[in-house]
Amino acid sequence: MGIKNSIQEKISVLDMKNGHGRRIKTIAALVLVYLIMGIVTKNRFLTGTNLLAVLSNSVVNAFIVLGFCFIFATGIIDLSIGAILVLACNIGGILAVKAGLGYAGLIAGSVIVAVILELFNMKLIQVTRIPAWIFGLGMAMVYEAVGAIYNSHQIAAGLQAVSLSDSCRALGQPPVNILLLAAGVVTAFLIYNKSTAGIGIRAVGSNKEVAGMMGINTSRTIILSGIIGGIFIGFAAAVNESYAGRVVPSTGLNSITLIFIPLAAYLLALAFSKTFNLTIAAALSSFIITSIFNVLTIMGVPTGTWQKVIMGASVIICGILSARTEKGDVK
């Protein structure tokens, strides 16, 4: 028994040393990459003002990725999140401006709508047993249509989709948005790693059958993942509406483009998850992906063409990197 404990202690120490070594190598590699980006942009990238702008612009994507960490953790890939985000933006804006509730209405409206819709999705996915990505595509069109009907009604009345104008804009600006993200990362870390809910979600995602045999209510856990993920998506919507001032509903599955960059960041976070905790890697990866597109913009790469190509390539490359962390078959 003493020999076994001694071996386990040595393995634990070795794992800790390996993790520390990986962390140092990863940080060194990232520093090198950022120095290269600074050189190719002739020092226009590595300035305090620009890096603050990059960090600020990564906040919405980081909140979406934190939502992914819980929703996708159970094995459910919901492609309607972009449409949910747009709808939550508009409802939050309506409560903030037209109902006169200000920031309370913006945050509460965005979060409540995102949670309800994500909860609805999770429940129907389990009831219908339709593959989640197919269900998500269908619901994305439904949520887009709801927003488009409202937008058309406003236009017919000579109005526009809700606009915050100059009110409730602080949530989308530094330092408020950065402080919100910091609080979000800490909250996500505690829920994901320290709570019973987080442990259950990770167990279901790892092996649903084994989790069930361990006494975990898998259906309830999946619902819970949608609720928690929906909260982070809701905060992403509130910050996005505050930053943009006006988010116009779209149709034709255009809302899916809103989650391309967060998806790339999520896949990159999975690749970093052996070096950093997933929730911390979510914020870090969002900053890295936003940095790359900032560099492309500084270098004059067209946003509507080549940046779209690079966006698609980023998703594929990050997917390959995340797959390298998986053992056995990749889902």
Side-chain angles (χ1 to χ4, degrees):
M1 196 70 178
I3 296 175
K4 183 178 179 181
N5 289 338
S6 178
I7 292 173
Q8 288 177 339
E9 287 176 6
K10 288 179 179 179
I11 292 173
S12 179
V13 170
L14 184 61
D15 287 342
M16 190 178 297
K17 287 182 178 179
N18 288 338
H20 186 62
R22 277 198 304 269
R23 223 166 277 123
I24 292 174
K25 290 178 182 177
T26 301
I27 292 172
L30 288 175
V31 169
L32 178 60
V33 168
Y34 272 75
L35 288 175
I36 292 172
M37 289 195 291
I39 292 170
V40 299
T41 57
K42 298 179 181 179
N43 296 322
R44 286 182 292 169
F45 172 68
L46 290 178
T47 66
T49 302
N50 188 62
L51 289 176
L52 178 61
V54 171
L55 178 58
S56 180
N57 290 334
S58 70
V59 169
V60 172
N61 289 333
F63 268 115
I64 295 173
V65 178
L66 288 173
F68 286 171
C69 289
F70 293 94
I71 296 168
F72 290 1
T74 56
I76 291 178
I77 308 300
D78 184 1
L79 296 179
S80 70
I81 288 175
I84 291 174
L85 180 79
V86 173
L87 207 51
C89 282
N90 280 275
I91 299 299
I94 290 170
L95 292 180
V97 177
K98 296 189 176 182
L101 298 178
Y103 287 108
L106 177 61
I107 295 173
S110 299
V111 171
I112 290 171
V113 169
V115 168
I116 289 174
L117 295 183
E118 200 57 58
L119 179 61
F120 181 71
N121 283 4
M122 290 294 187
K123 188 64 179 177
L124 281 187
I125 286 171
Q126 293 187 82
V127 170
T128 61
R129 299 184 182 277
I130 298 172
W133 67 272
I134 296 177
F135 181 88
L137 286 175
M139 293 311 298
M141 289 189 283
V142 172
Y143 297 145
E144 284 181 347
V146 172
I149 290 170
Y150 168 75
N151 192 44
S152 298
H153 181 269
Q154 290 293 96
I155 292 173
L159 303 171
Q160 62 176 358
V162 62
S163 174
L164 295 182
S165 188
D166 294 328
S167 63
C168 301
R169 304 301 296 272
L171 288 185
Q173 305 296 328
V176 177
N177 59 351
I178 296 170
L179 292 174
L180 278 175
L181 177 60
V185 171
V186 171
T187 303
F189 177 87
L190 294 175
I191 295 174
Y192 192 81
N193 299 284
K194 305 296 182 180
S195 71
T196 304
I199 293 171
I201 289 169
R202 286 185 285 134
V204 170
S206 178
N207 192 309
K208 188 175 180 180
E209 288 73 22
V210 172
M213 288 188 288
M214 290 170 60
I216 296 173
N217 187 323
T218 56
S219 296
R220 187 170 61 188
T221 300
I222 291 172
I223 294 293
L224 189 58
S225 73
I227 293 173
I228 298 172
I231 292 172
F232 288 103
I233 300 300
F235 271 98
V239 174
N240 190 46
E241 179 73 8
S242 181
Y243 172 77
R246 178 171 175 256
V247 177
V248 180
S250 59
T251 57
L253 293 178
N254 284 329
S255 62
I256 294 180
T257 61
L258 296 175
I259 64 172
F260 278 171
I261 291 178
L263 180 58
Y266 173 72
L267 293 171
L268 186 59
L270 289 179
F272 280 140
S273 61
K274 282 194 173 182
T275 306
F276 305 101
N277 184 271
L278 181 61
T279 53
I280 296 172
L284 175 62
S285 299
S286 298
F287 180 74
I288 292 171
I289 297 294
T290 305
S291 296
I292 292 171
F293 284 97
N294 179 258
V295 168
L296 293 174
T297 301
I298 291 173
M299 294 177 66
V301 178
T303 57
T305 53
W306 284 109
Q307 285 202 27
K308 295 290 185 182
V309 173
I310 294 169
M311 184 189 297
S314 299
V315 173
I316 295 172
I317 292 169
C318 291
I320 293 170
L321 291 173
S322 68
R324 288 170 63 88
T325 66
E326 300 283 345
K327 295 181 179 180
D329 296 331
V330 179
K331 295 181 181 179

